[in-house]
Amino acid sequence: MAAVMKTSGLAGLLTGAVALGIAELTAAVTGPNGAPVTAVGETAINLTPVPVKEFAIAHFGTHDKTALITGIVVMLAAFAVLIGVLAVRRLAYGLAALAVFAAVGIAAAVSQGGGLNVVPTLAGSAVAAVALVLMVRAIRGTARPETAGPVEGTALATGPGGKGLERRRFLIVGAGAAALGVAAGGLGNALLGRFSVASSRAAVRLPGPAVPAPAVAAGTDLRIPGLTPFLTSNASFYRVDTDLVLPQVSPETWTLTIDGMVDRPVELTFAELLKMPLTEADITLVCVSNQVGGTYNGNATWLGVPLAGLLRRAGVRAGADQVLSAATDGMTISTPVAAIIDGRNALLAVGMNGQPLPVAHGFPARMIVPGLYGYVSATKWVTKLTLTTFARKKAYWTQRGYSAQAPIKTESRIDVPKPLSQVKAGRITVAGVAWAPAKGIAKVEVSADNGPWQKATLAASGGIDTWRQWMWGWDARPGLHNLRVRATDNSGATQTPQRAYPVPNGASGWDSVVVTVM
Ligand SMILES: Nc1nc2c(c(=O)[nH]1)N[C@H]1C(S)=C(S)[C@@H](COP(=O)(O)O)O[C@H]1N2
Ligand SMILES: [Mo]
């Protein structure tokens, strides 16, 4: 009996493997978003309540997507085992369970826009049904001779007599199913590579800036071990978006549309964009989900066309106070018109640290607006800017409970010493970064053991839109100590000690670390 359970569970897993493999291969023809695990995952992301999403970001960090996929695959595997067990009892039950499996995939594909996205799940389930029937027949053939019921008996036991043959039959059918699943999945995966825009990206030659970024002054980067570097490399820049499969947007077919409350709708190609005068600027981007002391922020040299000029070209009508930007992944983001036209370096960026935008960071074009959290400004893979009003249109995250407008809060972070580390008594360098993009940092103070606030030394400024490094020399005596930091921006406002969580408009509070001095 146990052997039958194991065999039927295995048959179920193989049925699942065939379904996913064939679906992957079909998705290679119909498009990557139809692969069932992806479709289910993307749907889960869109349906996930905000507290769960914040929990996932806080606990899995940039691995939140891996955690989600792992969870889905584990659930699929458990369900596949159930399909096998049911099917060996009674084929109709197994097929019905497989139909449920298919229905979930189809429902997810429909919620992802439907169309061709439902085809991979349909094809995968149909082929899997055939594999399941064949495997069940082989198992039943194995179990039949000595028993009354279909599932009783010793199944795969290699007793004397004719059962060796049937056991071999299941092994052959099962191995065939495994091979089909793996081969179809592998081939599908390889073919899905054809959707990649890596080669188009490699062919992009960015022109130099008409307005270069001011040279980074000596002393902007204190180069203290463990301290966040002034510029963040593309490879180590944080990534936050709702996508399991990175949008692959070809610069050859990409266009930007500006419409809504404008005098003249505008449509631009990527080639036209590159012919316009480009501005280069160092800007620090911060995610609203960044916790106090968190690292969901980065500072890069961006290259792009000023958004203000693009809006002027379209002619913004009186009354429009929001730019609702839309991207190929279905994301919508609301940005105040005022922040785009008030003279700050609001860009439609095409370059990041001297390279075309990495695919993960919005290739071929994204928005960057100094001083606003990413979810209200930094639209990656952007294709449309619609002039409208905050009263009329709510963007993706606003529909989910975040504020419609969200300037980045003035914050600071201690990078060294690391929390809960041990340091030697004597003169210790405490260092970190502070940011108030669009305002600039005026002062950073540190307090040890809740003592008086002491002024830290600021690194040279990289401009008001970037974070600023700071350092402070601490005479550390043996014992357990607590260090706190707070920043003051150029408007004169000092970072609030009031603790706030990321929802609805960004975390606040003072970062602190506890260290042991020996
Ligand atoms: N198309 C699209 N743009 C997006 C997002 C997204 O999910 N889709 N996420 C936003 C959020 S919440 C942030 S913080 C920034 C992050 O940009 P990065 O991944 O380049 O660091 O992108 C913004 N732009
Ligand atoms: Mo974000």
Side-chain angles (χ1 to χ4, degrees):
M1 185 66 202
V4 173
M5 287 292 283
K6 265 190 215 149
T7 312
S8 54
L10 179 61
L13 282 176
L14 292 172
T15 303
V18 169
L20 293 187
I22 295 290
E24 185 86 357
L25 184 57
T26 314
V29 180
T30 59
N33 293 326
V37 175
T38 306
V40 170
E42 299 266 4
T43 306
I45 289 175
N46 285 333
L47 297 180
T48 299
V50 162
V52 178
K53 176 221 131 204
E54 288 294 339
F55 175 89
I57 287 195
H59 294 268
F60 303 117
T62 25
H63 303 298
D64 57 345
K65 295 186 172 74
T66 319
L68 175 65
I69 293 285
T70 308
I72 292 173
V73 169
V74 168
M75 284 199 298
L76 283 183
F79 197 73
V81 168
L82 180 71
I83 290 176
V85 170
L86 289 174
V88 172
R89 298 227 137 168
R90 189 176 269 221
L91 192 53
Y93 294 167
L95 289 174
L98 181 60
V100 171
F101 187 88
V104 171
I106 289 167
V110 167
S111 95
Q112 289 308 108
L116 285 179
N117 284 347
V118 303
V119 178
T121 299
L122 284 176
S125 325
V127 178
V130 174
L132 181 63
V133 169
L134 292 177
M135 284 187 284
V136 167
R137 281 202 190 141
I139 292 171
R140 290 220 179 121
T142 313
R144 197 182 304 120
E146 283 98 4
T147 59
V151 293
E152 255 60 52
T154 49
L156 294 186
T158 46
K163 282 208 309 263
L165 178 72
E166 276 133 342
R167 175 175 169 272
R168 214 171 306 135
R169 197 189 299 152
F170 173 70
L171 289 182
I172 290 168
V173 177
L180 177 63
V182 169
L187 183 63
N189 220 296
L191 290 177
L192 275 168
R194 80 189 165 87
F195 291 97
S196 166
V197 292
S199 57
S200 311
R201 178 173 175 270
V204 169
R205 293 286 165 270
L206 293 178
V211 182
V216 174
T220 306
D221 203 322
L222 301 170
R223 298 178 187 284
I224 293 167
L227 172 60
T228 303
F230 176 69
L231 281 172
T232 314
S233 70
N234 290 355
S236 47
F237 207 93
Y238 81 97
R239 174 189 160 203
V240 169
D241 51 57
T242 54
D243 305 297
L244 285 176
V245 175
L246 278 176
Q248 303 289 324
V249 183
S250 158
E252 288 89 32
T253 55
W254 176 90
T255 57
L256 178 78
T257 304
I258 308 177
D259 63 8
M261 296 167 71
V262 294
D263 296 331
R264 310 162 286 278
V266 168
E267 198 181 59
L268 283 170
T269 65
F270 191 64
E272 286 167 334
L273 200 63
L274 294 194
K275 288 203 193 92
M276 303 171 78
L278 302 180
T279 293
E280 187 188 53
D282 293 343
I283 299 165
T284 296
L285 181 60
V286 184
C287 179
V288 71
S289 297
N290 191 49
Q291 306 269 359
V292 172
T295 54
Y296 279 150
N297 47 10
N299 183 48
T301 303
W302 306 95
L303 176 72
V305 175
L307 280 165
L310 292 175
L311 294 195
R312 257 197 314 275
R313 215 162 141 152
V316 177
R317 292 227 170 116
D321 62 1
Q322 181 198 160
V323 170
L324 183 73
S325 49
T328 58
D329 60 348
M331 178 55 56
T332 54
I333 281 179
S334 60
T335 309
V337 171
I340 292 176
I341 62 174
D342 71 0
R344 71 183 85 184
N345 267 329
L347 299 176
L348 178 65
V350 293
M352 182 178 183
N353 291 326
Q355 308 267 315
L357 287 177
V359 172
H361 296 290
F363 180 78
R366 74 175 304 170
M367 286 174 47
I368 291 287
V369 183
L372 304 181
Y373 284 117
Y375 86 101
V376 285
S377 69
T379 322
K380 306 191 272 189
W381 315 287
V382 62
T383 54
K384 199 170 184 183
L385 309 179
T386 302
L387 275 295
T388 178
T389 64
F390 280 101
R392 203 175 306 153
K393 281 274 179 349
K394 282 191 169 44
Y396 182 95
W397 286 114
T398 310
Q399 291 164 16
R400 287 161 176 76
Y402 288 81
S403 304
Q405 306 200 34
I408 297 172
K409 295 179 180 175
T410 298
E411 283 285 318
S412 52
R413 177 174 83 209
I414 300 172
D415 288 339
V416 280
K418 293 263 168 283
L420 304 178
S421 59
Q422 300 188 339
V423 297
K424 284 217 180 71
R427 190 79 168 169
I428 295 293
T429 298
V430 180
V433 285
W435 58 91
K439 295 193 185 111
I441 290 294
K443 183 168 75 174
V444 171
E445 296 159 292
V446 183
S447 148
D449 302 321
N450 304 325
W453 289 100
Q454 314 271 335
K455 250 174 122 169
T457 304
L458 294 179
S461 168
I464 60 169
D465 294 334
T466 68
W467 57 24
R468 193 162 180 182
Q469 295 182 346
W470 56 267
M471 61 177 286
W472 181 67
W474 176 39
D475 291 315
R477 305 239 181 93
L480 195 64
H481 296 282
N482 148 50
L483 297 165
R484 291 187 302 173
V485 65
R486 69 177 189 190
T488 301
D489 61 40
N490 283 328
S491 79
T494 297
Q495 187 184 329
T496 174
Q498 206 80 50
R499 269 273 170 182
Y501 289 92
V503 188
N505 60 9
S508 67
W510 292 337
D511 188 25
S512 66
V513 301
V514 170
V515 292
T516 307
V517 180
M518 293 181 308

